[in-house]
């Protein structure tokens, strides 16, 4: 079946949830759940590329996640370091695969070495366009909108923007996802019915799919199921 016949979403956003519960069920430390979660992240990135999903956004670390124990935060940061390091080691492979990688979220408060690596990976992959992968790190939807509003207010103050020019497009252009389509489908594994401050502006018309599977157990077959369900839904965007 062709991509159009399958009605594939252009942009899938995923909340990688359930790592802690997965570890607890096995009598393991929470950090083991994140470790397995990071592996699943790689598998699902690859699968999305294989089946032709253009944009994929993963929620890796929220602005609220700093409240977790020091040990857990540092374990997640180390997984990110490892991933970024791999991006350097496999620069050629990634180039061939055509990944354009972006880290969405605030760089403020992030370890300096990680910020440096993120900037380098972004600039090295910025001219690629087969699959756009956004990794949300130190990300909060409300903070993102607040920043966009501040930037616009600054523009009004210095006279470069007039109030009449402020519209939805201008706000969209001020977000980390500027220039990208809004997510068609948001997937949340682990059975929670919340957006948790994820892509609040961008999710206005997204279809939401909740799955009981915990993220470390998530497989391409689970993603297929979500896409299948999405393809049957009738999106009306407020119309009839
Ligand atoms: C939510 O599960 C998961 C997180 C807060 C962290 C997700 C991070 C990763 C999968 C690793 C990131 C690394 C890369 C390379 C992107 P939870 O801990 O809230 O699970 P619980 O609800 O069961 O406690």
């Amino acid at each position: 079946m062709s991509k159009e016949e399958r009605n594939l979403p252009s942009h899938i956003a995923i909340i990688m949830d359930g790592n802690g519960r997965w570890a607890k069920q096995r009598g393991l430390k929470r950090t083991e759940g994140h470790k397995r979660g990071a592996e699943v992240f790689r598998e699902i990135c690859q699968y999305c590329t294989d089946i032709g999903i253009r944009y994929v956004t993963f929620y890796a670390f929220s602005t609220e996640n700093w409240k977790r124990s020091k040990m857990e935060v540092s374990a997640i940061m180390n997984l990110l370091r490892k991933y970024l390091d791999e991006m350097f080691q496999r620069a050629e492979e990634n180039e061939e695969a055509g990944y354009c990688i972006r880290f969405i979220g605030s760089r403020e408060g992030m370890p300096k070495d990680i910020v440096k690596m993120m900037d380098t990976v972004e600039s090295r992959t910025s001219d690629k366009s087969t699959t756009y992968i956004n990794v949300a790190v130190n990300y909060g939807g409300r903070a993102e909108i607040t920043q966009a509003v501040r930037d616009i207010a600054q523009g009004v103050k210095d006279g470069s923007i007039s109030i009449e020019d402020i519209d939805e497009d201008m706000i969209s252009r001020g977000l980390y996802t500027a220039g990208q389509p809004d997510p068609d489908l948001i997937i949340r594994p682990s059975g929670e019915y919340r957006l948790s401050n994820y892509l609040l502006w961008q999710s206005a018309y997204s279809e939401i799919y909740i799955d009981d599977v915990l993220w470390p157990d998530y497989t391409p077959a689970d993603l297929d199921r979500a896409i299948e369900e999405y393809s049957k839904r009738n999106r009306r965007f407020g119309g009839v």
Side-chain angles (χ1 to χ4, degrees):
M1 224 192 274
S2 77
K3 213 164 136 177
E4 287 69 31
E5 279 165 342
R6 265 190 91 186
N7 187 20
L8 273 185
S10 305
H11 186 169
I12 297 182
I14 301 177
I15 301 177
M16 303 190 282
D17 194 18
N19 297 347
R21 275 163 285 171
W22 181 90
K24 199 174 169 203
Q25 282 172 5
R26 286 161 180 76
L28 301 169
K29 283 192 270 179
R30 295 177 57 81
T31 50
E32 288 301 312
H34 296 315
K35 199 169 149 197
R36 175 67 199 137
E39 283 162 23
V40 173
F41 157 79
R42 290 175 179 80
E43 287 161 20
I44 297 297
C45 273
Q46 181 63 54
Y47 187 64
C48 286
T49 309
D50 293 345
I51 62 172
I53 305 292
R54 283 302 297 288
Y55 298 86
V56 200
T57 302
F58 293 89
Y59 208 176
F61 193 83
S62 76
T63 44
E64 288 71 39
N65 286 151
W66 295 108
K67 292 182 204 144
R68 298 190 176 202
S69 75
K70 250 187 170 175
M71 197 184 82
E72 186 168 343
V73 170
S74 107
I76 297 174
M77 293 300 152
N78 281 335
L79 288 167
L80 260 173
R81 271 190 193 94
K82 191 166 168 239
Y83 171 66
L84 285 158
D85 198 48
E86 259 170 43
M87 291 292 108
F88 290 117
Q89 307 296 335
R90 298 197 195 152
E92 245 172 69
E93 259 172 70
N94 293 327
E95 186 142 326
E96 258 172 52
Y99 287 137
C100 174
I101 300 166
R102 286 193 202 163
F103 296 92
I104 64 169
S106 173
R107 304 290 211 249
E108 239 167 78
M110 288 292 295
K112 298 271 178 299
D113 64 316
I114 294 189
V115 171
K116 214 170 146 196
M117 286 161 106
M118 282 175 167
D119 290 343
T120 312
V121 167
E122 279 188 347
S123 68
R124 278 195 194 163
T125 62
S126 64
D127 59 337
K128 300 291 173 289
S129 58
T130 308
T131 314
Y132 292 85
I133 294 171
N134 300 318
V135 187
V137 177
N138 198 16
Y139 174 87
R142 287 186 175 181
E144 178 183 36
I145 297 168
T146 305
Q147 187 56 52
V149 170
R150 276 200 185 143
D151 293 344
I152 292 171
Q154 185 61 51
V156 171
K157 193 176 169 196
D158 65 28
S160 59
I161 296 172
S162 69
I163 290 180
E164 298 71 43
D165 291 338
I166 301 172
D167 58 10
E168 294 184 8
D169 280 347
M170 187 181 283
I171 295 180
S172 294
R173 287 197 302 274
L175 304 178
Y176 296 117
T177 49
Q180 302 192 356
D182 288 337
D184 303 292
L185 172 64
I186 297 184
I187 300 174
R188 179 157 199 164
S190 93
E192 306 282 356
Y193 287 73
R194 287 191 291 279
L195 278 179
S196 298
N197 207 10
Y198 193 39
L199 304 173
L200 294 183
W201 178 272
Q202 299 90 331
S203 62
Y205 289 102
S206 305
E207 293 292 327
I208 299 181
Y209 184 87
I210 312 286
D211 202 319
D212 281 338
V213 180
L214 302 176
W215 178 251
D217 285 329
Y218 204 80
T219 64
D222 296 315
L223 187 69
D224 276 341
R225 229 173 341 101
I227 293 173
E228 182 70 27
E229 158 84 21
Y230 164 86
S231 67
K232 289 183 198 147
R233 291 192 195 170
N234 177 14
R235 302 182 75 196
R236 293 190 298 277
F237 298 96
V240 284

